[in-house]
């Protein structure tokens, strides 16, 4: 029997608005990497990877690295987390939905024509047996760090190449382990829905907006291949996004979201979890002497 699992979340407005917990029936889905440097960051500082879910806006890679939200203090106003910058104001509210769903609603205000990339940069705590389920043949962009891992030479001067999910150019991105010393980013373009399957548990992300903007899912599959300058660690990022590139500076005409003439851009991230209680009971019985 598959049951819906009610989800709850916590955020930290004082430290970049980061989601510090995404929990359902005893399982914490977010991966963490405590780093004391995170408590003292200022805008312009190098990114400090503490895990959780980061709001990456107006870019992911590029400048500022991981965007302009993670290093700033947010404020809480009537149950809504609010970030004010010189270019935009971002409001985020978390609300329960049907069947245990968690809904994150976003409202960005900026000058009409302002271009951005947003990613819900969720780093998940998953086993090596976990895998991703997304629509077959979704066009999937690979970036330069993938060059040694694909089954063809990297085209000269190409910033990215595109192949069909789940194994563009022979790289099986749906598999999330075992650790093999690689780290690669990819973007499933035009993809609104993705599910992480880990044993009896499933976590699904679904992104919705009425705006005419590109919608994708980014993947950061770090199997102890990053960082290069220190002890590598394992981190898996599943990142619903507005846009189709990591770096806003590399965005083509339809690779970034553009604020419409109203000056308002809205979107909603819906997160659901289920658990197969039959599989859980079977595993428990098999482990009993």
């Amino acid at each position: 029997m598959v049951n819906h699992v009610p989800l709850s979340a916590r955020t930290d407005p004082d430290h970049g608005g980061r989601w510090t917990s995404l929990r359902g029936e005893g399982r914490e889905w977010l991966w963490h990497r405590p780093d004391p440097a995170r408590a003292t960051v200022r805008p312009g500082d190098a990114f400090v990877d503490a895990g959780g879910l980061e709001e990456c806006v107006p870019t992911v890679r590029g400048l500022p690295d991981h965007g302009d939200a993670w290093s700033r203090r947010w404020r809480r106003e009537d149950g809504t987390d609010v970030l004010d910058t010189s270019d935009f104001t971002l409001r985020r509210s978390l609300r329960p939905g049907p069947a245990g769903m968690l809904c994150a609603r976003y409202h960005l205000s900026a000058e009409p024509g302002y271009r951005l990339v947003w990613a819900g940069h969720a780093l998940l705590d998953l086993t090596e047996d976990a895998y991703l389920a997304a629509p077959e043949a979704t066009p999937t962009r690979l970036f330069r760090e993938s060059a040694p891992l694909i089954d063809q030479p990297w085209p000269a001067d190409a910033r990215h190449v595109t192949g069909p999910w789940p194994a563009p150019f022979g790289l099986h991105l749906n598999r999330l382990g075992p650790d093999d010393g690689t780290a690669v980013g990819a973007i499933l373009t035009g993809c609104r829905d993705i599910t992480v399957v880990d044993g009896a548990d499933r976590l699904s992300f679904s992104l919705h907006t009425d705006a005419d903007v590109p919608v994708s899912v980014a993947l950061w599959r770090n199997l102890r291949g990053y960082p290069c300058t220190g002890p590598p660690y394992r981190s898996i990022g599943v990142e619903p996004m507005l846009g189709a590139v990591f770096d806003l500076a590399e965005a083509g005409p339809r690779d970034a979201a553009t604020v419409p003439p109203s000056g308002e851009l809205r979107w909603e991230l819906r997160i659901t979890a289920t658990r197969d209680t039959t599989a859980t009971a079977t595993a428990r019985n098999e482990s009993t002497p």
Side-chain angles (χ1 to χ4, degrees):
M1 180 182 296
V2 176
N3 293 331
H4 288 281
V5 175
L7 291 170
S8 63
R10 293 196 308 270
T11 63
D12 186 355
D14 288 341
H15 300 95
R18 183 169 67 102
W19 300 39
T20 57
S21 179
L22 178 62
R23 177 175 288 273
E25 289 191 359
R27 174 159 188 165
E28 174 57 61
W29 281 99
L30 296 181
W31 171 85
H32 296 89
R33 178 179 173 270
D35 189 324
R38 183 56 190 266
T40 59
V41 296
R42 297 292 183 270
D45 287 355
F47 181 65
V48 179
D49 188 3
L53 187 154
E54 303 281 8
E55 305 287 357
C56 294
V57 59
T59 192
V60 183
R61 297 180 183 176
L63 296 174
D65 187 18
H66 285 72
D68 206 24
W70 73 272
S71 60
R72 295 180 180 273
R73 185 170 184 170
W74 296 41
R75 57 188 171 86
R76 189 156 284 169
E77 181 181 280
D78 298 328
T80 299
D81 291 335
V82 183
L83 170 68
D84 296 304
T85 77
S86 60
D87 293 322
F88 62 86
T89 294
L90 178 63
R91 297 175 178 271
R92 176 191 64 200
S93 61
L94 303 183
R95 299 288 187 270
M101 178 190 295
L102 182 68
C103 298
R105 295 173 181 166
Y106 296 86
H107 176 195
L108 185 139
S109 304
E111 288 294 321
Y114 180 72
R115 299 184 82 215
L116 65 122
V117 170
W118 166 84
H121 187 285
L123 293 173
L124 302 179
D125 188 4
L126 304 171
T127 71
E128 292 185 348
D129 294 325
Y131 64 92
L132 293 172
E136 194 81 11
T138 295
T140 302
R141 288 182 172 179
L142 303 178
F143 296 81
R144 287 185 180 274
E145 69 268 18
S146 304
L149 306 176
I150 64 176
D151 58 11
Q152 70 173 42
W154 191 266
D157 301 324
R159 290 177 173 171
H160 54 76
V161 295
T162 302
W165 177 266
F169 304 102
L171 181 55
H172 290 268
L173 290 172
N174 58 328
R175 303 172 185 171
L176 302 179
D179 294 346
D180 59 9
T182 65
V184 61
I187 297 179
L188 289 74
T189 62
C191 183
R192 295 178 178 272
D193 303 281
I194 194 165
T195 296
V196 181
V197 183
D198 195 5
D201 291 328
R202 288 175 172 250
L203 185 72
S204 297
F205 297 93
S206 184
L207 186 58
H208 300 264
T209 179
D210 292 332
D212 181 22
V213 297
V215 173
S216 304
V217 175
L219 171 64
W220 171 242
R221 196 187 68 168
N222 173 26
L223 304 180
R224 297 192 185 275
Y226 176 88
C228 300
T229 57
Y233 50 85
R234 172 184 171 88
S235 56
I236 304 296
V238 179
E239 310 169 25
M241 71 185 304
L242 303 182
V245 291
F246 287 112
D247 189 344
L248 179 62
E250 298 180 355
R254 285 291 298 172
D255 289 340
T258 301
V259 174
S262 66
E264 311 288 329
L265 185 61
R266 301 174 187 269
W267 65 97
E268 181 174 281
L269 176 61
R270 301 171 187 170
I271 311 174
T272 57
T274 61
R275 176 170 293 164
D276 186 341
T277 55
T278 303
T280 303
T282 300
R284 184 167 55 246
N285 293 335
E286 290 177 348
S287 65
T288 302

